[in-house]
Amino acid sequence: MKPTLLLAACLAAFSYTAGASSVTLYGNLDTGFAYVHDKTTTNQVPNGGQYSETRNSFVMSNGVISDNFIGLKGKEDLGNGMQVGFALESQFNLSNGDFQRHFEGNAEDGKPIFGTLLFEREARLFVKGAYGSLSIGRMDALTSSTGSFNIISRTGDAFEGYGLPFDSRQKLDNAITYQSPEVAGFRGYAQYSLDVGNEQNDKFKENLRYYALGGAFHHENFNLAGAFEQYRMPNEYQGKNLYAIHTAANMKLGDFTLYGTAAYTKNDGGASVMIDSVGLVGVSAQNNSNSRQFSLGTKYEFGSNEVMVGARFINGKYDDIKVSNQGAAARFVHHLSNRTGLY
């Protein structure tokens, strides 16, 4: 369980428009203080018995219900229903002003290496017309908790991708995303990354490639989304290909909205991450791991207020070692205006 008490403020967006083209400067600020209690239990560890780890912390928190970022986006009308545009977003830490760090790999001693990017959150160019839109650059996966194409979190998570259900922030470099026009309430998506990392090798099969297909459907007060994704391992890597299947749905009933997600992952290392403290990490753990993930939530809106509650359930397995993680969260938001709120 992660009880959290914070104060947040959102940065207003404004835009400048000239003729047939437009550029918008926008952003968001979210900060406060948080107390976090988290417990993970592992059954059947190698020496027998059960392993349990509990963590408690009190910190100045950044971006709990929304990222801290500043962005630029623009578009130009080419006529005949065609548009060309761009989106550039830079995420940062409000408590010290530093850029958002991202994982770049491991050093020779095994310690992780982190770097910073000017437009870590998103950097894409797009063309949009009657047959849909095509985006090229750096962007979030369909199953990410944030971004322009996060159909799973946007559909099935009452917390809008922050805290529950799984808070995935998968970024794709060297990526292409196609979004179809909406037909009878349905919209399709296809994603491909030549190399998820920020560099591409000369040989195609030495890159960590990513594929995803997804769709979203809405009818009146009901929304449904699903996605299949796969990571293709480089030839020299000993790991198996990773894949996952995700589904999400929500339904609005008066002032209430009900949410739910479900996912199955294979060879994703999800189980090995949870049992990191007992030493079962690396390729072998990833190759034989799988997990099943579920979440349920609801949002209640009254006046200028919102109340959200939810729970998540994760069961993972590495060979005969079973791991589980459960979480619950509640949030109250009071909107001072369309752009500013307290929670």
Side-chain angles (χ1 to χ4, degrees):
M1 182 182 295
K2 297 185 178 182
T4 309
L5 179 63
L6 299 112
L7 175 68
C10 295
L11 179 67
F14 62 90
S15 63
Y16 170 74
T17 304
S21 62
S22 66
V23 176
T24 302
L25 173 66
Y26 61 100
N28 192 78
L29 298 177
D30 181 331
T31 190
F33 299 94
Y35 168 76
V36 177
H37 172 78
D38 187 57
K39 182 177 181 179
T40 299
T41 301
T42 302
N43 296 311
Q44 298 176 335
V45 295
N47 59 351
Q50 183 183 84
Y51 178 86
S52 180
E53 182 178 12
T54 301
R55 298 178 182 178
N56 297 283
S57 62
F58 179 76
V59 296
M60 176 176 286
S61 187
N62 292 271
V64 174
I65 70 169
S66 55
D67 290 336
N68 292 303
F69 70 93
I70 188 167
L72 281 171
K73 62 182 178 181
K75 62 182 178 180
E76 183 176 7
D77 191 348
L78 302 179
N80 298 319
M82 292 288 294
Q83 290 182 339
V84 61
F86 68 91
L88 303 171
E89 294 184 358
S90 180
Q91 189 171 337
F92 59 91
N93 189 326
L94 187 62
S95 61
N96 60 16
D98 196 8
F99 284 116
Q100 173 73 16
R101 299 195 305 163
H102 72 284
F103 177 72
E104 291 188 339
N106 292 314
E108 293 183 359
D109 60 2
K111 294 182 179 180
I113 301 174
F114 294 92
T116 58
L117 296 173
L118 178 58
F119 298 113
E120 189 275 341
R121 184 178 163 95
E122 187 169 89
R124 66 184 177 96
L125 177 71
F126 67 86
V127 178
K128 184 178 181 180
Y131 297 100
S133 67
L134 188 68
S135 296
I136 299 175
R138 175 180 172 84
M139 61 203 77
D140 285 86
L142 298 181
T143 58
S144 176
S145 302
T146 62
S148 301
F149 306 106
N150 62 333
I151 59 174
I152 299 300
S153 176
R154 186 168 57 208
T155 301
D157 184 6
F159 292 81
E160 301 171 357
Y162 294 87
L164 288 174
F166 317 118
D167 201 18
S168 167
R169 304 295 178 93
Q170 179 60 60
K171 307 289 185 181
L172 304 175
D173 288 332
N174 314 299
I176 303 171
T177 299
Y178 170 72
Q179 176 180 284
S180 77
E182 185 174 311
V183 178
F186 176 82
R187 191 186 299 274
Y189 298 82
Q191 278 190 325
Y192 174 69
S193 172
L194 282 75
D195 187 2
V196 174
N198 57 9
E199 295 182 1
Q200 300 180 69
N201 294 308
D202 293 335
K203 295 183 179 180
F204 177 74
K205 291 186 178 180
E206 292 180 358
N207 296 322
L208 173 58
R209 291 155 287 155
Y210 175 89
Y211 307 80
L213 291 173
F217 172 79
H218 78 88
H219 176 70
E220 296 180 350
N221 295 330
F222 177 72
N223 294 276
L224 179 68
F228 170 83
E229 60 181 352
Q230 183 183 63
Y231 290 83
R232 301 283 293 182
M233 295 295 106
N235 279 351
E236 71 274 14
Y237 187 69
Q238 299 177 9
K240 297 179 181 178
N241 293 330
L242 290 62
Y243 70 86
I245 300 171
H246 301 257
T247 59
N250 72 63
M251 176 174 286
K252 187 172 180 60
L253 303 171
D255 295 329
F256 286 89
T257 305
L258 306 179
Y259 297 85
T261 66
Y264 174 77
T265 65
K266 181 68 175 176
N267 303 328
D268 71 335
S272 64
V273 169
M274 287 191 283
I275 57 180
D276 176 53
S277 53
V278 294
L280 296 175
V281 295
V283 174
S284 60
Q286 177 178 290
N287 283 347
N288 298 287
S289 66
N290 63 72
S291 66
R292 294 170 177 81
Q293 309 171 359
F294 307 92
S295 75
L296 295 172
T298 186
K299 178 192 294 185
Y300 174 59
E301 302 174 79
F302 58 102
S304 57
N305 306 293
E306 292 180 342
V307 175
M308 287 145 279
V309 296
R312 67 145 190 260
F313 312 90
I314 304 176
N315 292 311
K317 185 178 181 181
Y318 161 64
D319 285 342
D320 294 328
I321 301 175
K322 298 179 181 180
V323 294
S324 64
N325 183 278
Q326 296 83 36
R331 182 194 302 166
F332 171 80
V333 181
H334 174 66
H335 296 282
L336 301 176
S337 69
N338 290 334
R339 298 184 178 96
T340 306
L342 303 175
Y343 64 92

